[in-house]
Amino acid sequence: MVRTMISTALAAVLLAAPVQAQDVGEIVGGIARQYLQQEQDRAAFAQAQQTNSLSAYQSYLRQFPNGAYAEQARERVRRLGGTVATTGSQSSAGSASLSADQRVAIQRRLNALGYNTNGLDGSFGPGTRRAISLWQRDRNYPQTGTLTSAQATEILQGRAPAASGSASNTGAAADGAPARAEGVLNLSRQQRAAVQAGLTRRGFDTRGVDGVFGRGTRNAIAAWQRANDLNATGYLTANQFERLTSR
């Protein structure tokens, strides 16, 4: 369905005005991003409707103050006896509440966790938005690609979900020495995908081979480490990387 909608929209654009071949990719990307934003908006409002509470509708409005369902959400807030905050008071990673240094710190932290932002420039472009969305997915947050204040704080403070039975059992913080040691490896997305493929071949489900070290991959690494009598940190050492990527 998504492909059909994108194809239809692209055809309309191409018929409306001739474009250069190199522009087609940008047009398709723009249409896809727009559709993704619409779907994120719809899913967030559907979740608010399912919960049907004051806090749920207020949470939706914090994420999508100008969303397609914003007016409906505001009406529900009023009916539930709450107050509707103005757009200027909404707090997110897209607002001026984050300094340039904090934005860079968030990008650096996301990369350390395995979510590639395609740069550390303090600008939250498509790469960073995608990384945020994946980070949110792995923590069961709505995949908006935009951080709430609480989520930004969570990343900046370095809290990461411990792989099951892993760091909490070793007494090491999930984002401490093991994470720093893995960060020094500076693994590319291709190398991360090779690790995931190696884990999958050995029977440890990473929930996908996409080059992104989310919760599924961290749990798989920890399970493999436990099976091999290693400290189950959920993070790789150089030697472990070599073992997992060797045939």
Side-chain angles (χ1 to χ4, degrees):
M1 179 178 178
V2 176
R3 183 180 299 175
T4 301
M5 294 181 65
I6 292 176
S7 298
T8 302
L10 176 60
V13 172
L14 294 177
L15 288 174
V19 295
Q20 298 296 322
Q22 60 265 31
D23 294 333
V24 173
E26 295 182 7
I27 294 173
V28 172
I31 294 172
R33 286 192 295 274
Q34 182 179 7
Y35 179 77
L36 176 60
Q37 291 172 353
Q38 292 172 349
E39 282 300 291
Q40 291 170 341
D41 185 347
R42 182 197 61 76
F45 185 68
Q47 183 177 356
Q49 285 182 307
Q50 184 176 4
T51 305
N52 197 32
S53 67
L54 177 60
S55 61
Y57 287 111
Q58 289 174 330
S59 176
Y60 167 81
L61 287 170
R62 283 194 294 271
Q63 297 172 49
F64 298 96
N66 300 309
Y69 310 95
E71 190 53 43
Q72 295 180 52
R74 292 188 183 96
E75 180 60 27
R76 290 301 302 162
V77 168
R78 284 189 285 267
R79 288 187 180 185
L80 291 168
T83 57
V84 179
T86 61
T87 301
S89 66
Q90 304 304 322
S91 180
S92 72
S95 71
S97 60
L98 285 175
S99 68
D101 287 343
Q102 287 175 317
R103 288 170 177 266
V104 171
I106 286 174
Q107 290 174 320
R108 183 176 292 110
R109 177 63 183 153
L110 286 169
N111 278 280
L113 289 171
Y115 304 101
N116 185 12
T117 62
N118 291 330
L120 300 173
D121 56 3
S123 176
F124 282 10
T128 299
R129 295 299 178 192
R130 179 180 181 278
I132 290 172
S133 182
L134 291 171
W135 179 87
Q136 290 169 325
R137 177 202 66 185
D138 289 337
R139 285 152 182 81
N140 297 319
Y141 295 135
Q143 288 180 247
T144 64
T146 301
L147 293 171
T148 65
S149 289
Q151 291 169 358
T153 299
E154 182 176 340
I155 294 176
L156 288 170
Q157 290 182 347
R159 297 197 303 270
S164 58
S166 61
S168 58
N169 292 336
T170 65
D175 61 333
R180 289 194 295 271
E182 183 184 284
V184 171
L185 300 179
N186 196 26
L187 299 178
S188 67
R189 185 160 187 165
Q190 183 177 2
Q191 289 173 315
R192 291 173 182 270
V195 168
Q196 291 172 321
L199 286 164
T200 302
R201 286 196 304 272
R202 292 165 172 81
F204 300 93
D205 184 16
T206 61
R207 292 175 57 186
V209 179
D210 56 3
V212 176
F213 280 11
R215 180 178 297 176
T217 300
R218 293 298 177 193
N219 286 343
I221 291 173
W224 173 80
Q225 289 169 328
R226 285 195 300 274
N228 288 272
D229 296 323
L230 302 168
N231 287 335
T233 64
Y235 293 86
L236 295 172
T237 65
N239 181 57
Q240 291 168 8
F241 168 76
E242 292 296 333
R243 289 176 61 180
L244 283 170
T245 55
S246 64
R247 293 282 181 174

